[in-house]
Amino acid sequence: MKILLVEDEEAIRGFVRINLKRGGMEMLEAGSGEEALELVLSQGAVDIALLDVMLPGMSGFDVCASLREAYPAMGIIMLTAKAQEEDKIRGLELGADDYIHKPFSPGELMARIHSLSRRLRLAAPAAGSPAPSAGAAAASLRPAGQAAVDPVPGGAQEASSLSRGQAAASFEPEAADMLAAGPFRLSERLHKLWKEGREIVLTPTEWTLVKLLMERCGQSVSRDEILSEVWGRYYVGDLKVVDVNIRRIRQKIESNPSEPAIIETVWGYGYRWKRGEA
Ligand code: CA
């Protein structure tokens, strides 16, 4: 797994470096956002970017937005100051998958990275692997062999999705691994979502959340359950990460995101993918 750390404080860089190396991870480092984007341009996509918010020059938010636009499948974790509650929400709104409050422990850092890497593994199945059955795909949600499938740092894949732009990708409903709900098709093998045959580009976290709701189509799923299913069982974060991701997903899939017809809010409880709606 390849990790990019963007942080201007040498002490924190050293701390993260030691822990990632100990965990057997490859690491790129940048002291500013500008340096980080150049590094990614020259060295290619990384699996996960760890982004400090307060940087000299462009902010961690700007880096997040740029990386997210260029690499929809990249994992992004923001490193935020505990006092800055709104920073956490802002990062998530810009497409970050998660955040860690500073100061953080090695255990917390590694737990967040491993939790996110599970979602990335889902988003990057081994090339040429046969389409799994629904059961097998569900089983692949569990990190059976942590090191079994290295996520493909999908440079080529992402480049093609970028060049495709807004053009509708043709959709062949041939695979047996499709989840279907109304005009939506979700491929567990390709880790993609289509609406009326048009691909909806989702982050690894958004895709995992959509899959969970589509599997429970018509049922209410609590925010607590979403949090533990998507972010991990021992996640100590805030339920707001669920709400922000739901909002982002609605912006991508709903005809009118402010009056959602596909993902319903179940007040005081959670969310529900409405059965059979267009
Ligand atoms: Ca800083």
Side-chain angles (χ1 to χ4, degrees), residues 45 70 79 163 208:
L79 308 177
S163 62
T208 309

Side-chain angles (χ1 to χ4, degrees), residues 20-41:
L20 293 188
K21 295 241 160 101
R22 197 176 283 156
M25 293 166 191
E26 193 187 336
M27 187 182 166
L28 297 176
E29 292 178 44
S32 72
E34 291 83 349
E35 196 188 322
L37 296 183
E38 272 176 38
L39 208 54
V40 171
L41 271 180

Side-chain angles (χ1 to χ4, degrees), residues 180-251:
F184 293 93
R185 298 292 180 273
L186 179 138
S187 165
E188 306 204 32
R189 186 171 65 86
L190 300 173
H191 301 276
K192 289 182 183 294
L193 176 75
W194 296 266
K195 181 184 184 184
E196 288 154 0
R198 183 182 291 264
E199 187 184 344
I200 309 275
V201 177
L202 298 174
T203 68
T205 298
E206 291 163 355
W207 187 88
T208 309
L209 210 169
V210 165
K211 177 173 180 285
L212 173 67
L213 292 181
M214 280 181 73
E215 282 174 338
R216 310 276 193 88
C217 184
Q219 300 169 30
S220 303
V221 185
S222 75
R223 293 156 90 220
D224 283 310
E225 189 177 358
I226 293 171
L227 195 68
S228 76
E229 288 287 326
V230 175
W231 280 267
R233 201 169 153 202
Y234 301 105
Y235 191 79
V236 288
D238 191 306
L239 287 167
K240 280 191 194 121
V241 300
V242 175
D243 302 326
V244 175
N245 271 274
I246 290 282
R247 203 183 314 153
R248 287 173 47 83
I249 293 166
R250 279 173 171 161
Q251 275 160 9

